[in-house]
Amino acid sequence: MTAAPGAADRLRHLQAQLPPAARLLAVSKGHPAEAVRALVAAGQRSFGESRLQEASLKQEALADVGPLDWHFIGHLQANKVRPVLQRFGTIHSIDSLPLAERTARIAAEEGLAPQVLLQVKLRDDPTKGGFSREGLLEAWPQLQRLTPLRITGLMTMAPVGLGAAEREPLFAECAGLARDLGLSELSMGMSGDWPEAARAGSTWVRIGSALFGSRT
Ligand SMILES: *Cc1c(COP(=O)(O)O)cnc(C)c1O
C-alpha cells in the first residue's frame, strides 16, 4: 500500500484541474488490484482496462469493494467480445462495423445493453485502428440500428509524436463529428495530452501513468 497516498493525491490534483464536463477514467492496466483499491478508497469508481485476462483477475480480486464502473479501452478481438461484455459496462474501442454487429448480436444473446463509444482515427496512424470520418459516416445508418448497443460517443487517440498545437484541432474535429452525429460522449485525452482534450470538450479523459505512475 506504499503507493496509495501518492495516487490518491494525484487523483485529487487531477480532479481539481479537470473542467466539470470531463470525467476521469482511471486506467489501471499494468497496475495491481491494490492500486485500484487505493483509488476506490479515495472515491474513484470508473476504471479502464485494455486486456481481458489482466482485468478479469483484478475484478475478482476486488469483488469485495462492490460494483465498480469498468470500461474496456483496448483493441477488442472478435473472440473476446462475449467475455468483455460480461465484465465491462462500457466499451470505448468499437472500431469497425463488423465488430459493432458482432457485439450487438452477442449483447442481445446475453441480455445486455452495453454503452459503446466508436473509435475514430482522424489522422494517419499505422499503429491504431478506428473508423475514418468517411467510413463512420457511411456506416452510421447501420450502426444506429444495432440494438441493444447504446452508442453514446466517440473515442480517439492522437498519433504519438503529434505536437500539442496539432492535437487540440484534432480533438476539436472529433468533437465536431460527434456533434454532427448527435453523440454526447467524447473519450479523448491521456496522461500526455488530456489538457488539450479537455479544452476540446472531452467527457472522459483516460489517465493511467499520471495517476498510478509508470507501468511495469
Ligand atoms: C494505456 C491507455 C491509456 C492511458 O495511458 P497513459 O498515457 O498511461 O495515461 C489511455 N487510453 C488507452 C486506449 C490506453 O491504451
Side-chain angles (χ1 to χ4, degrees):
M1 296 289 278
T2 47
D9 286 345
R10 287 194 287 268
L11 175 69
R12 274 185 282 272
H13 186 67
L14 268 167
Q15 292 285 22
Q17 291 173 277
L18 286 174
R23 282 153 297 164
L24 193 148
L25 184 66
V27 177
S28 47
K29 71 175 187 212
H31 296 280
E34 291 320 304
V36 173
R37 190 179 292 278
L39 283 199
V40 172
Q44 178 70 22
R45 306 300 295 181
S46 298
F47 292 90
E49 288 277 343
S50 44
R51 284 177 291 267
L52 174 67
Q53 189 75 7
E54 179 190 341
S56 307
L57 293 170
K58 245 174 266 184
Q59 289 171 340
E60 279 158 37
L62 291 160
D64 61 296
V65 305
L68 294 173
D69 175 34
W70 290 102
H71 295 227
F72 191 81
I73 62 171
H75 176 63
L76 180 54
Q77 291 166 257
N79 65 341
K80 300 282 171 60
V81 168
R82 191 179 304 273
V84 163
L85 283 170
Q86 289 164 341
R87 289 172 176 80
F88 294 84
T90 304
I91 302 176
H92 291 228
S93 43
I94 297 291
D95 59 3
S96 73
L97 181 58
L99 182 62
E101 289 171 335
R102 183 183 177 84
T103 305
R105 177 173 59 73
I106 296 175
E109 287 171 11
E110 297 285 325
L112 296 167
Q115 179 171 192
V116 161
L117 285 79
L118 303 170
Q119 184 172 343
V120 297
K121 184 165 76 167
L122 301 175
R123 299 287 184 275
D124 278 346
D125 188 347
T127 67
K128 294 186 184 78
F131 287 92
S132 66
R133 181 189 179 84
E134 300 70 35
L136 178 57
L137 293 174
E138 193 187 319
W140 184 238
Q142 284 136 289
L143 287 165
Q144 283 181 288
R145 286 196 291 269
L146 291 180
T147 53
L149 302 189
R150 294 180 294 121
I151 300 176
T152 59
L154 301 182
M155 181 272 235
T156 202
M157 282 183 272
V160 176
L162 199 71
E166 292 122 323
R167 288 196 297 256
E168 197 162 333
L170 163 62
F171 291 137
E173 206 175 301
C174 187
L177 183 55
R179 204 179 310 119
D180 290 347
L181 299 175
L183 297 170
S184 57
E185 299 289 347
L186 281 168
S187 171
M188 312 191 298
M190 310 176 22
S191 293
D193 59 15
W194 68 261
E196 297 95 81
R199 280 197 294 274
S202 177
T203 64
W204 280 112
V205 293
R206 309 178 310 269
I207 312 275
S209 43
L211 259 182
F212 293 105
S214 56
R215 290 178 282 274
T216 46

